[in-house]
Amino acid sequence: MSICDFNHYLIRPGQNMKLAEVSSDPWDDLPSKKSEAKEELSRLQERLSDLQQRFFVDRRKKMLLVLQGMDTSGKNGTIRHVFRGVNPQGVHVASFERPSSRELAHDYLWRVHKRAPSEGEIIIFDRSHYEDVLAVRVNNLKPETVWKKRYRHIRDFEQLLYDEETVILKFFLHIDRDTQKKRLQERLDVPAKNWKFDQSDLVARSKWDAYVQAYEDVFAETACEHAPWYVIPANKKWARNLLVARIVVACLEDMHLSYPQVDYDPAKIVIK
Amino acid sequence: MSICDFNHYLIRPGQNMKLAEVSSDPWDDLPSKKSEAKEELSRLQERLSDLQQRFFVDRRKKMLLVLQGMDTSGKNGTIRHVFRGVNPQGVHVASFERPSSRELAHDYLWRVHKRAPSEGEIIIFDRSHYEDVLAVRVNNLKPETVWKKRYRHIRDFEQLLYDEETVILKFFLHIDRDTQKKRLQERLDVPAKNWKFDQSDLVARSKWDAYVQAYEDVFAETACEHAPWYVIPANKKWARNLLVARIVVACLEDMHLSYPQVDYDPAKIVIK
């Protein structure tokens, strides 16, 4: 499969998409049975593990995967399930929690750029610089004159990374309000999940529409060919994982990665 | 004095300046006697020390000073003489030597952005991201298709820093070939300066014209109002130091920095 096969999940540059018009339930190119999905995911994990090893050894490209989504959309779950088989030497997760005071004292891309990938490395952003035009905007942490300029900075920053050999894929894990309610309730009902619950999630939930608006603006401002946004229907965890895995694998397949050519004949070397 | 008083040292955006047409000997707004210059510099150092303290306490702005110039143009000397009086807590020098293999594995602005200033901080770049379109270009370390894109990245990067409250001043320490010859010869003749001599300086010297061309393109591509380039006549060290000090002080004066207002009456507080 090639990455082009997923163009129907892609936000076209300049497209004014409305999230409400996109289903967050699995689309019909996904298996109808959960068991089939599981089997396919485990095949994809193996393939990803092999491709990632080639990517790591090849060292021609850098890779940046951005995961964004409402609370409970499954950013952590996606990382855990899709990337479980890979070599931790070449794959790293950068989580962008609330910035520290040292981070806040710098421009907002300072802490982000520090975590940009190097050659052969895959970096997964669990939240990202997009929070600086999402949470920051919705919670009025900066005036509009400040955050409005950031779309341009972000486009420029991703252009720099792209020009410097970084492959960028951005995923929006798309859930609906009911799914979020169910998952938050589960965190209250299941004792082993209580630790995941955070009062501030309810505050964010009460601003759902403002977040939707902010995300739609992000897509309109920052979807581009070299740093595309994929909207992943994420009401079903198995579908979400499968789709992200398919897209990442297809992207790596398209690179036709092979192990480096050697300049000696291994058959002629005798190890005494 | 205001920063505008130095507009005749400024490269105008879009101006196609030729370095050969600019004198690297002191211009006539500088004292004719070295002793006068010394006195003025020491007054400026004191003023700078006070202004820097205010800047540090004020914490509204960040400051980035970029020093570029041919070998022996006096980047280190400028830092030593102009900034000797400041509080080292708030002023830091970032030297961009040959990049490490870890740095080379990232995009070229990765190591640069890491050293960007925070609020209240003055960062002096001793060489900078400009080497990535100077040394890299002249020595063919990257093909033209790669370094040509970097002018845009650099403009975008400086725009980001500016939008995020960074004051940027860029200085080109302008010496002529004869001065460089004299200073290199001194490094050979004076035993206490032998350690400064590096064979590679002669290689760079042999590419003088290519560097001039590369600098002229840098100025044409990256001189702008919010990140201006100043050409500092630097054949005479005292003139160079004085001029950089004058400009930095004028820039800080223009900010009208005062110590933060307090919300109590100090006279009414009794310390028992």
Side-chain angles (χ1 to χ4, degrees):
Chain A
M1 266 198 289
S2 157
I3 189 92
C4 307
D5 298 328
F6 301 94
N7 281 353
H8 49 300
Y9 291 101
L10 197 65
I11 300 168
R12 310 236 158 240
Q15 177 190 353
N16 243 325
M17 71 98 74
K18 293 283 157 206
L19 273 178
E21 293 165 10
V22 181
S23 173
S24 41
D25 285 312
W27 301 5
D28 58 10
D29 58 343
L30 288 164
S32 51
K33 283 190 203 157
K34 209 170 153 177
S35 61
E36 282 172 43
K38 245 186 168 164
E39 252 173 67
E40 188 188 333
L41 182 60
S42 105
R43 279 198 308 276
L44 284 168
Q45 282 165 342
E46 259 179 70
R47 187 73 194 126
L48 180 60
S49 164
D50 181 51
L51 287 164
Q52 182 261 322
Q53 182 64 18
R54 288 165 194 250
F55 184 81
F56 181 67
V57 173
D58 181 75
R59 276 176 209 240
R60 266 178 311 164
K61 291 275 183 186
K62 313 160 173 91
M63 189 175 224
L64 175 61
L65 307 176
V66 173
L67 292 185
Q68 283 287 158
M70 304 285 197
D71 292 324
T72 76
S73 62
K75 295 178 284 291
N76 286 315
T78 304
I79 296 169
R80 213 164 53 242
H81 288 95
V82 176
F83 295 92
R84 57 157 42 121
V86 299
N87 177 358
Q89 212 181 354
V91 181
H92 299 103
V93 178
S95 293
F96 293 98
E97 305 292 333
R98 209 173 298 264
S100 69
S101 59
R102 179 143 189 264
E103 289 169 342
L104 282 173
H106 287 84
D107 69 273
Y108 68 102
L109 287 178
W110 181 75
R111 67 172 185 154
V112 178
H113 203 164
K114 274 211 264 188
R115 305 303 305 272
S118 65
E119 290 162 0
E121 189 182 31
I122 299 176
I123 295 261
I124 306 164
F125 278 8
D126 167 16
R127 301 189 187 273
S128 65
H129 42 302
Y130 285 101
E131 291 299 333
D132 294 292
V133 285
L134 290 165
V136 166
R137 168 182 176 177
V138 170
N139 299 309
N140 288 310
L141 303 183
K142 292 278 181 188
E144 181 166 347
T145 49
V146 170
W147 59 254
K148 272 241 161 158
K149 287 179 185 155
R150 295 183 170 179
Y151 298 122
R152 177 180 160 190
H153 303 155
I154 290 173
R155 283 194 299 270
D156 293 343
F157 173 58
E158 292 177 353
Q159 178 77 47
L160 159 75
L161 297 183
Y162 171 77
D163 286 342
E164 295 275 314
E165 308 297 341
T166 311
V167 176
I168 305 173
L169 298 175
K170 302 182 290 197
F171 297 101
F172 174 70
L173 307 183
H174 183 33
I175 56 169
D176 57 26
R177 280 200 83 189
D178 288 346
T179 301
Q180 188 185 61
K181 186 179 180 186
K182 216 180 64 195
R183 290 186 186 170
L184 286 174
Q185 191 61 50
E186 208 176 284
R187 290 181 181 182
L188 293 171
D189 295 345
V190 181
K193 290 191 174 175
N194 285 171
W195 64 273
K196 280 189 180 180
F197 185 80
D198 188 331
Q199 291 283 354
S200 73
D201 293 349
L202 297 185
V203 179
R205 179 171 168 78
S206 72
K207 299 174 180 171
W208 183 277
D209 292 340
Y211 271 105
V212 167
Q213 180 60 57
Y215 267 111
E216 288 171 352
D217 286 349
V218 158
F219 300 148
E221 294 276 359
T222 68
C224 61
E225 220 169 303
H226 59 263
W229 272 110
Y230 290 91
V231 175
I232 305 295
N235 275 356
K236 300 282 178 239
K237 295 174 183 176
W238 59 265
R240 173 200 73 201
N241 295 339
L242 192 55
L243 202 48
V244 172
R246 277 185 185 175
I247 293 173
V248 174
V249 165
C251 178
L252 288 163
E253 296 279 16
D254 284 355
M255 290 184 206
H256 305 289
L257 300 159
S258 51
Y259 290 101
Q261 293 289 317
V262 293
D263 55 0
Y264 63 90
D265 179 356
K268 286 204 178 135
I269 293 192
V270 181
I271 301 167
K272 287 186 194 165
Chain B
M1 265 197 289
S2 157
I3 191 93
C4 307
D5 297 328
F6 301 95
N7 281 354
H8 49 299
Y9 291 102
L10 197 65
I11 300 168
R12 311 238 157 240
Q15 175 191 354
N16 243 324
M17 70 100 71
K18 294 282 159 206
L19 273 178
E21 293 166 10
V22 181
S23 172
S24 41
D25 284 313
W27 301 6
D28 58 10
D29 58 343
L30 287 165
S32 52
K33 283 190 202 154
K34 210 171 155 178
S35 61
E36 282 171 42
K38 246 186 169 164
E39 252 173 66
E40 188 188 335
L41 183 62
S42 106
R43 278 198 308 277
L44 285 168
Q45 282 166 341
E46 259 179 71
R47 187 71 195 129
L48 180 60
S49 164
D50 180 51
L51 287 164
Q52 181 261 323
Q53 183 64 17
R54 289 164 194 251
F55 184 81
F56 181 66
V57 173
D58 181 76
R59 276 177 208 240
R60 266 177 312 164
K61 291 276 182 183
K62 313 162 173 89
M63 188 175 225
L64 175 61
L65 307 176
V66 173
L67 292 185
Q68 284 286 159
M70 304 286 197
D71 292 324
T72 76
S73 63
K75 296 178 283 294
N76 287 314
T78 304
I79 296 170
R80 213 164 52 242
H81 287 95
V82 176
F83 295 93
R84 57 155 44 120
V86 299
N87 176 357
Q89 212 181 353
V91 181
H92 299 103
V93 177
S95 293
F96 293 97
E97 304 291 333
R98 211 173 295 266
S100 69
S101 59
R102 178 142 190 266
E103 289 170 343
L104 281 173
H106 288 85
D107 69 272
Y108 68 102
L109 287 179
W110 180 75
R111 66 172 186 155
V112 178
H113 203 165
K114 275 212 264 188
R115 304 303 304 273
S118 66
E119 290 161 359
E121 190 182 31
I122 299 175
I123 294 260
I124 306 163
F125 279 7
D126 167 16
R127 301 189 187 274
S128 65
H129 42 301
Y130 285 101
E131 291 298 332
D132 294 292
V133 284
L134 290 165
V136 166
R137 168 183 175 176
V138 171
N139 299 309
N140 288 310
L141 303 182
K142 292 277 181 188
E144 182 167 346
T145 50
V146 170
W147 60 254
K148 272 240 161 160
K149 286 179 185 156
R150 294 183 170 179
Y151 297 123
R152 177 179 161 191
H153 303 154
I154 289 173
R155 282 194 300 269
D156 293 343
F157 173 59
E158 293 177 351
Q159 178 77 47
L160 160 75
L161 296 184
Y162 172 76
D163 286 343
E164 296 274 315
E165 308 298 341
T166 310
V167 176
I168 305 174
L169 298 176
K170 302 181 291 196
F171 297 100
F172 174 70
L173 307 183
H174 183 34
I175 55 169
D176 58 26
R177 281 201 83 190
D178 288 345
T179 301
Q180 188 184 61
K181 186 179 178 188
K182 216 181 61 192
R183 291 187 184 169
L184 286 174
Q185 191 61 49
E186 207 175 286
R187 291 182 181 180
L188 293 171
D189 295 344
V190 181
K193 291 192 175 176
N194 285 171
W195 64 273
K196 280 190 180 179
F197 186 79
D198 188 332
Q199 291 282 354
S200 73
D201 293 350
L202 296 185
V203 180
R205 179 171 167 78
S206 73
K207 298 175 180 170
W208 182 277
D209 292 341
Y211 271 106
V212 166
Q213 180 61 58
Y215 266 112
E216 288 171 352
D217 286 349
V218 158
F219 301 147
E221 293 276 0
T222 68
C224 62
E225 218 170 303
H226 60 263
W229 272 110
Y230 290 90
V231 176
I232 305 294
N235 276 357
K236 299 281 177 244
K237 295 174 185 178
W238 59 265
R240 174 200 73 202
N241 296 339
L242 192 56
L243 201 48
V244 171
R246 278 185 185 177
I247 293 174
V248 174
V249 165
C251 178
L252 288 164
E253 296 279 15
D254 284 355
M255 290 184 205
H256 304 289
L257 300 158
S258 50
Y259 290 101
Q261 292 289 317
V262 292
D263 54 1
Y264 62 91
D265 180 355
K268 286 204 180 136
I269 294 193
V270 181
I271 302 167
K272 286 185 194 165

